[in-house]
């Protein structure tokens, strides 16, 4: 190849793509907007993952790291925090990859445009033969790189869904951003705990992240040496009732997910939480005392709110892909062929079939959306699925279709998201239960299988969905 493969993002999936490219001796450049590897993961450093280390280290990356002799492999059975994932794996891997022949890892390099060199979206001729042109913003100014192929592993972290029910920020949401947090706050940080302790907090969202926030606030209300007394939560739900939001409890196939549901239920009924159902947020207004009033489209309102925590998922950014040809599912914003396999109404993380280059390929030949971004708005992405994606994609880019069409991912019998909790406190593993941060609601129990692409969808769906 005349030009390197450009990989966007040093998250786990971008770096796994680079590790596969390095193993194959391909030239690659990884472009990362942030100042270090795993910049997005670092933003949720306090959240403990629900997958164990054995499910969080890519195979090609492990081979490279093991061979380097400088890496201390973590305990496969342990559940790291985001911070531990970054420091114990992503950063050392990025350093190693930056030192490989033909490999570059650049930070402070935000991709702002991907197109075909000399051709905008409209021009047909030469699209399949000419290189990609990558426009990059750095603190030194704008740069343009040529690439033989582009692997977009830029994730979705930078685009949380807004509070507004229309999918756009509610009226006043942007203006009152200083009292609104998107994602799970680190309640173990004293400054952050002080922000919420004793306050009236509105929590929007119904998934595991929202439940983790409820549990965190309930815990704060009890344990913050008196300062937490008076903590009040208004839980904003779009659905008509809390219904089965807490899962099946003791009957849940997944013990830890059931436990989170039960803990959240306990938090929700502890007297500090008021449910506001069918609440589709229209506006956020600052009161004269600086606190907020939130109003729904049907006229419900909640006032005297000190803080709002929005945990309603993420969406991908296609802003820098406007000059390339994409085929996306109109609802999920995921590659169309993949969308049916990952739709949250029918699938959870444990029963999405392993998949690769064929599902991820786009009309713009040589461009692949991988990792969290490949799932669009679906919340069920798992790192191990992403590792399989990029193993296949990089093999295809290397012309090795035999390896690209093979499926190497073996899903563990006990499921893939069966551990851990929300906060960087090992005690919370017992206290809080399962996943609260990643948006993956937990897998079905899956029989071990090694399947081929053609057979994958059926084999995986036979395992059943656990999302409910
Ligand atoms: C709180 C939380 C907990 C999770 N827990 C688990 C778990 O336990 N198990 C599991 O399997 N999965 C989990 N996930 C899901 C998923 O595995 C992670 O989100 C994972 O980090 C996704 O990897 P990624 O490489 O696709 O994207 P990211 O990790 O988001 O990495 C994307 C990278 O691209 C960079 N970037 C973005 N835009 C640009 C640009 N324009 N130019 C250059 N760089 C750019 C970002 O700075 C970032 O470093 C969790 C997710 C979250 C949010």
């Amino acid at each position: 190849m005349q030009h390197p493969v450009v990989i966007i993002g040093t998250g786990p999936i971008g770096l796994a793509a680079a590790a596969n490219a390095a193993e194959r001796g391909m030239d690659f450049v990884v472009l990362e907007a942030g100042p270090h590897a795993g910049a997005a993961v670092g933003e949720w450093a306090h959240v403990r993952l629900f997958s164990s280390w054995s499910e969080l280290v890519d195979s090609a990356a492990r081979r490279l790291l093991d061979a380097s002799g400088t890496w201390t492999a973590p305990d496969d059975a342990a559940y790291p925090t985001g911070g531990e994932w970054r420091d114990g794996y992503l950063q050392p891997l990025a350093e190693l990859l930056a030192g490989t022949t033909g490999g570059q890892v650049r930070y402070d390099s935000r991709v702002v445009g991907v197109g075909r060199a000399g051709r905008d979206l409209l021009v047909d001729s030469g699209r399949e033969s000419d290189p990609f042109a990558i426009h990059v913003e750095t603190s030194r100014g704008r740069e343009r790189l040529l690439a033989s192929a582009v692997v977009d592993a830029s994730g979705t972290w930078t685009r949380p869904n807004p509070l507004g029910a229309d999918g756009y920020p509610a009226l006043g949401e942007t203006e009152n951003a200083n009292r609104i947090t998107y994602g799970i706050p680190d309640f173990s940080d004293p400054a952050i705990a002080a922000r919420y302790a004793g306050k009236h907090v509105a929590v929007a969202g119904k998934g595991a992240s929202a439940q983790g926030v409820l549990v965190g606030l309930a815990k704060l209300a009890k344990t913050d040496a008196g300062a937490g007394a008076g903590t009040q939560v208004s839980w904003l739900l779009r659905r008509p009732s809390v219904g089965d939001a807490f899962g099946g409890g003791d009957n849940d196939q997944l013990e830890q997910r059931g436990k989170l549901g039960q803990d959240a239920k306990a938090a929700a009924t502890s007297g500090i939480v008021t449910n506001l159902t069918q609440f589709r947020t229209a506006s956020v207004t600052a009161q004269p005392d600086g606190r907020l009033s939130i109003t729904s489209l049907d006229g419900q309102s909640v006032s005297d709110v000190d803080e709002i925590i929005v945990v309603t998922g993420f969406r991908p950014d296609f802003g820098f892909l406007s000059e390339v040809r994409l085929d996306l599912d109109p609802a999920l914003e995921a590659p169309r062929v993949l969308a049916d396999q990952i739709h949250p109404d029918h699938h959870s993380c444990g029963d999405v079939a392993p998949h690769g280059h064929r599902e991820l390929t786009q009309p713009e030949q040589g461009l692949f959306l991988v990792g969290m971004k490949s799932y669009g708005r679906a919340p069920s992405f798992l790192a191990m699925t992403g590792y399989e994606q990029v193993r296949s994609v990089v093999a295809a880019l290397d012309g090795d279709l035999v390896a690209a069409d093979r499926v190497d991912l073996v899903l563990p019998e006990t499921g893939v998201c069966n551990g851990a909790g929300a906060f960087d406190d090992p005690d919370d593993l017992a206290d809080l239960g399962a996943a609260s941060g990643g948006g993956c609601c937990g897998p079905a129990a899956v029989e071990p299988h090694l399947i081929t692409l053609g057979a994958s969808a059926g084999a995986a769906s036979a395992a059943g969905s656990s999302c409910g």
Side-chain angles (χ1 to χ4, degrees):
M1 287 184 197
Q2 200 186 344
H3 302 288
V5 174
V6 161
I7 298 163
I8 308 174
T10 58
I13 311 308
L15 290 178
N20 277 279
E23 268 202 333
R24 289 176 169 275
M26 296 160 68
D27 290 351
F28 64 88
V29 180
V30 190
L31 299 170
E32 167 57 52
H36 52 69
V41 172
E43 294 205 23
W44 46 272
H46 58 288
V47 178
R48 193 168 291 279
L49 282 94
F50 50 82
S51 300
S52 64
W53 273 114
S54 63
E55 296 151 357
L56 295 169
V57 175
D58 169 66
S59 306
R62 188 185 286 274
R63 287 191 290 272
L64 289 177
L65 285 162
D66 282 345
S68 75
T70 56
W71 183 61
T72 309
D75 173 5
D76 267 355
Y79 294 87
T81 61
E84 288 163 353
W85 200 15
R86 177 196 56 194
D87 298 340
Y89 170 63
L90 299 176
Q91 191 60 44
L93 177 58
E95 283 164 19
L96 190 63
L97 289 165
T100 57
T101 310
Q104 293 180 47
V105 181
R106 296 193 199 166
Y107 302 105
D108 173 30
S109 299
R110 177 176 298 281
V111 174
V112 293
V114 173
R116 283 286 173 186
R119 283 159 182 78
D120 66 17
L121 189 66
L122 193 61
V123 180
D124 285 332
S125 71
R127 287 202 93 81
E128 295 192 356
S129 52
D130 280 8
F132 287 93
I134 317 295
H135 290 252
V136 186
E137 257 173 26
T138 75
S139 53
R140 303 167 306 283
R142 185 94 165 237
E143 291 176 23
R144 178 176 180 268
L145 306 178
L146 294 180
S148 62
V150 178
V151 178
D152 181 358
S154 61
T156 56
W157 177 257
T158 51
R159 295 198 73 216
N161 286 326
L163 178 61
D166 299 336
Y168 295 101
L171 300 180
E173 184 173 342
T174 312
E175 294 80 345
N176 293 294
N178 60 333
R179 285 178 184 259
I180 305 178
T181 298
Y182 300 86
I184 307 171
D186 180 2
F187 296 114
S188 69
D189 177 327
I192 293 174
R195 180 171 171 174
Y196 297 102
K199 303 287 173 50
H200 178 192
V201 185
V203 177
K206 72 165 172 55
S209 294
Q211 293 183 34
V213 170
L214 293 187
V215 175
L217 288 169
K219 195 170 180 189
L220 191 67
K222 274 198 210 145
T223 58
D224 200 47
T231 305
Q232 238 190 300
V233 179
S234 292
W235 190 15
L236 313 182
L237 293 147
R238 284 199 296 191
R239 57 167 67 191
S241 71
V242 174
D244 61 357
F246 300 120
D250 288 347
N251 297 326
D252 200 309
Q253 279 181 315
L254 288 168
E255 192 187 331
Q256 294 295 333
R257 184 184 61 184
K259 175 128 173 55
L260 173 66
Q262 292 312 297
D263 288 343
K265 191 172 184 179
T269 52
S270 65
I272 69 158
V273 178
T274 305
N275 300 339
L276 289 104
T277 53
Q278 285 189 309
F279 198 100
R280 294 168 188 273
T281 304
S283 64
V284 179
T285 316
Q287 299 174 177
D289 64 359
R291 299 209 282 173
L292 303 175
S293 171
I294 312 171
T295 307
S296 75
L297 291 171
D298 65 359
Q300 296 183 69
S301 72
V302 52
S303 37
D304 300 333
V305 172
D306 296 291
E307 296 286 342
I308 305 175
I309 300 174
V310 183
V311 264
T312 49
F314 298 89
R315 56 179 66 170
D317 178 9
F318 295 107
F320 61 82
L321 297 178
S322 62
E323 299 307 313
V324 283
R325 297 178 180 181
L326 302 175
D327 183 25
L328 303 174
D329 178 82
L332 280 191
E333 296 188 295
R336 196 185 297 267
V337 179
L338 183 60
D340 275 351
Q341 298 182 32
I342 61 174
H343 199 291
D345 285 352
H346 318 294
H347 296 280
S348 73
C349 55
D351 73 348
V352 171
H355 52 269
H357 74 113
R358 294 203 187 273
E359 288 83 351
L360 297 167
T361 198
Q362 288 294 316
E364 195 70 63
Q365 202 175 310
L367 169 73
F368 294 90
L369 310 182
V370 299
M372 192 86 168
K373 186 166 187 171
S374 70
Y375 272 39
R377 296 186 184 214
S380 48
F381 178 75
L382 277 179
M384 62 196 310
T385 312
Y387 295 155
E388 177 65 8
Q389 288 180 338
V390 294
R391 186 199 59 75
S392 167
V393 163
V394 173
L397 290 174
D398 196 28
D400 182 356
L401 285 183
V402 172
D405 283 342
R406 199 178 64 222
V407 170
D408 279 359
L409 176 60
V410 181
L411 295 171
E413 187 171 6
T414 52
V416 282
C417 345
N418 55 348
F423 310 107
D424 186 11
D425 173 358
D427 293 341
D428 284 335
L429 300 189
D431 290 351
L432 300 181
S436 67
C440 181
C441 52
V446 182
E447 292 300 318
H449 55 276
L450 184 64
I451 46 188
T452 59
L453 271 177
S456 60
S461 62
S465 168
S466 66
C467 246

